[in-house]
Amino acid sequence: MKTLMILSFSLFITAPLHAACNTGAIVYKKQTTYGISIGGGGAKSEWGDSSSINVPLTINGQQACFRKKTKFTLKAENSQNVDEGKITISPMKTEYENIPEPSTRQYLFVEKNAEKISTKFHIMSFICSGEIPLSIEATSDSYAKVLQNSSQVNVSVTTVFATGQAAENLNKAKIKYAASETFSFFSKLYKEKTLKELDAIPCCGQKIPSIISDTSITALSGIERTIASSFTTMGSEVPNGCSKDFMSSMESYLLENFENNDSLKDYKVKKKFFSDDLSFEWK
């Protein structure tokens, strides 16, 4: 017996994206697909997530903007004797206008828990102007082995998108977002490596609209999966991934430095031809 479930949803705010970033509008698009197949004493799951967001802002009274695009796909398979999978990450692509010293930083760490037979891919991304973060994003994907003969499929999806006062109210309420664990994980990792507290985020002359995007998908079948992602322009109690000290201390976990990332020692890493995409395979 096989069961297949596919979830797909998109959210559009304002008009379609321009070729370059737009200084006059917030534009948000997100699409997520999730599939499960159960049968023959095993299970397969596949997840795909792509998003883009355009954020207008002002810096020292001048109109500016950035636009970012990300994409992830992950396939996992479990049977009585097989536990394998592959995750493909498209590095964040970002466009800027009138932003001084712009840069993008993405950090990756794979956390394994042998007792729970589970694995989590933690990804934390920053869009920076010098040492000042303009936005912060975290994505985690965790999976674990469960009963292989189960034909039961339970899926729950929660998604939030808020701007302006609504986003500020959510932020003040100290709500724990789907990917909060990833922010906490990198904070702990930074403190352990440096024996320092988190760097304070410096204040400056920019005005950024308040935006929060949050998605969580939890599925229980032959494979237990939890997928979480959070994007915000209101960083608080999170690492400043744009600071020189953080970048120096965590350099080996930058996505482009995968060859020096000690958390990937059990993975086969490939860079696709004619593409910046990276695939991480395990068996």
Side-chain angles (χ1 to χ4, degrees):
M1 174 182 177
K2 291 190 176 182
T3 302
L4 178 65
M5 180 175 294
I6 298 178
L7 298 170
S8 179
F9 55 90
S10 300
L11 178 61
F12 299 84
I13 305 295
T14 75
L17 283 172
H18 294 264
C21 69
N22 185 338
T23 60
I26 296 172
V27 187
Y28 179 71
K29 177 182 178 182
K30 183 177 180 69
Q31 186 172 45
T32 299
T33 59
Y34 186 71
I36 304 170
S37 176
I38 303 172
K44 298 179 182 180
S45 69
E46 182 173 351
W47 169 58
D49 181 271
S50 61
S51 67
S52 64
I53 186 165
N54 181 93
V55 179
L57 61 149
T58 59
I59 298 180
N60 298 322
Q62 184 178 23
Q63 285 190 321
C65 64
F66 66 83
R67 173 194 175 192
K68 70 91 181 174
K69 297 175 69 175
T70 54
K71 184 178 181 180
F72 306 90
T73 59
L74 191 147
K75 299 179 181 180
E77 179 176 355
N78 283 347
S79 67
Q80 297 296 334
N81 301 310
V82 177
D83 180 13
E84 60 183 343
K86 180 173 76 170
I87 182 171
T88 301
I89 301 173
S90 300
M92 181 183 290
K93 292 182 170 66
T94 315
E95 297 171 341
Y96 313 92
E97 185 172 332
N98 296 332
I99 292 178
E101 301 179 74
S103 64
T104 299
R105 304 284 174 176
Q106 286 187 280
Y107 301 89
L108 167 68
F109 193 98
V110 181
E111 180 187 18
K112 296 181 180 179
N113 187 323
E115 294 180 1
K116 295 182 179 179
I117 319 177
S118 64
T119 300
K120 292 182 180 179
F121 286 83
H122 293 288
I123 302 168
M124 191 169 63
S125 307
F126 295 82
I127 293 177
C128 311
S129 175
E131 294 192 65
I132 300 168
L134 303 179
S135 72
I136 305 168
E137 186 170 16
T139 302
S140 67
D141 189 305
S142 64
Y143 71 95
K145 271 191 173 184
V146 293
L147 292 175
Q148 300 302 319
N149 296 322
S150 172
S151 60
Q152 183 178 10
V153 178
N154 294 313
V155 180
S156 63
V157 181
T158 303
T159 184
V160 174
F161 183 85
T163 62
Q165 189 62 51
E168 292 179 19
N169 291 341
L170 287 173
N171 194 48
K172 290 176 182 177
K174 303 289 185 181
I175 294 174
K176 189 174 182 180
Y177 295 107
S180 296
E181 187 179 353
T182 292
F183 288 132
S184 299
F185 178 84
F186 276 102
S187 297
K188 180 181 178 182
L189 185 63
Y190 172 74
K191 291 178 181 178
E192 290 176 349
K193 287 178 69 69
T194 65
L195 302 179
K196 295 179 180 179
E197 293 301 315
L198 296 177
D199 300 320
I201 295 177
C203 101
C204 58
Q206 76 249 13
K207 293 182 180 179
I208 309 174
S210 301
I211 301 172
I212 290 176
S213 167
D214 190 70
T215 300
S216 175
I217 301 174
T218 301
L220 178 61
S221 59
I223 299 172
E224 182 179 2
R225 298 291 300 280
T226 301
I227 301 157
S229 64
S230 300
F231 170 89
T232 182
T233 57
M234 299 178 291
S236 60
E237 299 179 3
V238 296
N240 180 2
C242 301
S243 74
K244 291 179 181 178
D245 187 65
F246 189 92
M247 290 189 291
S248 175
S249 302
M250 305 290 282
E251 184 177 15
S252 63
Y253 302 117
L254 286 169
L255 188 59
E256 63 267 28
N257 292 339
F258 59 86
E259 293 179 345
N260 300 317
N261 189 329
D262 54 17
S263 75
L264 297 173
K265 61 183 179 181
D266 296 326
Y267 293 80
K268 186 176 182 179
V269 185
K270 297 179 181 179
K271 185 172 183 180
K272 293 189 175 183
F273 291 110
F274 308 110
S275 171
D276 293 328
D277 290 359
L278 296 172
S279 66
F280 306 84
E281 300 179 13
W282 68 94
K283 183 176 288 190

